Amino acid sequence: LPQVGSPQELYDHPLNKFVAGFIGSPSMNFLPVTLEGSGEGAVLKNGDVQIPVAKAFREGITAASGREFIVGVRPEHWDVVPTGTEVATVQARADVVEYLGNEELLHVEVGGQDLVAIVSSERRVRPGDVVTLHVPLDKMHLFDAETELSVRRTAVS
């Protein structure tokens, strides 16, 4: 399913997993998850990783517990310091750290998936370090695992 729009629109609001992974470099990280619970207590789980369901997705997830989704996070939206109160956190070991001057690309494994995070080189992460990565819930994308279509976001007041 093609999507037509400005680069900013495709980056911010991809219609599906293909478009999300196509736009951006390095490309978006994807983590398969399973929905547990409902309403405010709903979480997306992959092994030890537990991600609260953002308010913007609660209406779009009308499914029962046990349904599978894919969480998408752009590398530049991770950080190793908390970035607010509505965040998801994952802990991982930095397998490879690419120093790029003002930034570092951290290559980590989470839930059996290789993920890339771009963080400030001021964080001074070294290979082998265990880091806690934080991402604002409003920067996360959510895709239906079966159709790979984006879960509709609703306005949050």
Side-chain angles (χ1 to χ4, degrees):
L1 177 67
Q3 179 177 358
V4 177
S6 70
Q8 187 74 45
E9 177 69 18
L10 299 178
Y11 179 89
D12 290 338
H13 305 287
L15 287 178
N16 56 43
K17 184 177 173 249
F18 173 79
V19 173
F22 188 77
I23 300 293
S25 180
S27 61
M28 184 180 283
N29 297 291
F30 296 110
L31 182 67
V33 292
T34 303
L35 176 66
E36 289 191 6
S38 62
E40 289 186 24
V43 293
L44 300 165
K45 290 190 74 170
N46 177 319
D48 294 338
V49 176
Q50 187 166 307
I51 300 168
V53 176
K55 290 177 192 169
F57 291 124
R58 287 195 195 134
E59 279 186 34
I61 297 180
T62 55
S65 213
R67 185 157 164 209
E68 295 182 357
F69 292 91
I70 300 166
V71 168
V73 178
R74 296 204 180 278
E76 58 273 22
H77 292 149
W78 293 109
D79 205 344
V80 293
V81 294
T83 52
T85 55
E86 296 280 308
V87 298
T89 59
V90 298
Q91 206 169 38
R93 182 177 315 281
D95 295 325
V96 176
V97 178
E98 293 181 61
Y99 179 77
L100 302 175
N102 65 331
E103 298 174 327
E104 293 176 335
L105 264 63
L106 309 182
H107 296 264
V108 302
E109 185 181 315
V110 174
Q113 302 293 310
D114 293 326
L115 304 182
V116 176
I118 299 174
V119 301
S120 168
S121 59
E122 294 175 356
R123 307 289 186 242
R124 305 209 187 291
V125 178
R126 300 288 174 249
D129 287 356
V130 173
V131 294
T132 301
L133 295 171
H134 308 268
V135 63
L137 294 182
D138 64 353
K139 295 291 188 186
M140 293 175 56
H141 296 267
L142 193 60
F143 307 93
D144 182 285
E146 192 175 314
T147 65
E148 295 192 349
L149 294 175
S150 292
V151 173
R152 187 175 58 83
R153 293 177 189 257
T154 55
V156 177
S157 54

